[in-house]
Amino acid sequence: MSAEHDHSHHEHQHHGDHSGHSGDGGHEHHRQGKVSWGMAASATLHCLTGCAIGEVLGMVIGTALGWGNLATIVLAVALAFVFGYALTMRGVLRAGVGFKQALKVALAADTVSIIVMEIIDNGVMLVVPGAMEAGLTSGLFWGALAFALFVAFLLTTPVNKWLIGRGAGHAVVHAYHH
């Protein structure tokens, strides 16, 4: 067996025996079918946790350094992706998956959710008058940021419900939590 084939085989070992599964090539068990709002909210809350850590850190750093809106938002978005992916990877790595495969799982599980969440929460921050300029000691800044994350949670939950129902998004991660 070549090293490349052995590596590929190892990456797919976690799937186990698919004999007896019907439907789409043995991946029927990854489909969630009817997805509850609770499941979608849980996936969104997981995503929101990573996004919020990165978002808050980026907003704090950018605001503390006196950066403009664009630079602050770019930093906040970049950190939201880093922390969002890192939280997902942590659980997948704990399941015994290698780093490269864990990264692939995190990218598949979280990318759409993080994009939607970031567009919404940064959009809210930009439309709340004075929020971006308010400064770290201002209740307006923190109130607007909390409101922005809340709105992002509300609007991203249906997206995650739709994704999970199609075997995408956080449904990809559930294969590693058995």
Side-chain angles (χ1 to χ4, degrees):
M1 190 179 328
S2 73
E4 182 179 322
H5 182 264
D6 184 45
H7 175 71
S8 177
H9 176 73
H10 177 71
E11 282 186 359
H12 290 88
Q13 253 180 301
H14 70 276
H15 285 296
D17 181 15
H18 289 297
S19 61
H21 286 290
S22 62
D24 60 349
H27 287 86
E28 193 72 30
H29 67 284
H30 291 292
R31 298 224 190 280
Q32 299 296 320
K34 185 163 172 66
V35 178
S36 71
W37 282 104
M39 181 185 292
S42 176
T44 306
L45 188 59
H46 173 88
C47 181
L48 179 69
T49 302
C51 285
I53 292 168
E55 187 79 24
V56 169
L57 190 58
M59 289 288 179
V60 166
I61 291 169
T63 302
L65 295 176
W67 290 1
N69 289 353
L70 180 61
T72 298
I73 288 174
V74 167
L75 178 62
V77 169
L79 291 175
F81 275 93
V82 168
F83 282 94
Y85 290 145
L87 283 180
T88 295
M89 286 181 66
R90 189 183 79 186
V92 176
L93 288 167
R94 251 192 264 150
V97 175
F99 184 85
K100 186 176 177 181
Q101 184 63 24
L103 178 60
K104 288 178 183 178
V105 169
L107 292 171
D110 293 334
T111 300
V112 172
S113 184
I114 294 172
I115 288 170
V116 170
M117 197 165 282
E118 288 305 301
I119 289 169
I120 294 167
D121 71 48
N122 284 291
V124 169
M125 285 299 289
L126 288 171
V127 299
V128 172
M132 292 294 291
E133 295 79 23
L136 298 177
T137 59
S138 167
L140 173 61
F141 174 82
W142 292 105
L145 186 55
F147 177 69
L149 292 168
F150 176 71
V151 171
F153 173 80
L154 289 178
L155 297 179
T156 306
T157 298
V159 172
N160 281 328
K161 186 176 189 303
W162 182 81
L163 287 168
I164 294 167
R166 279 146 189 77
H170 261 259
V172 175
V173 175
H174 291 280
Y176 297 91
H177 291 276
H178 295 308

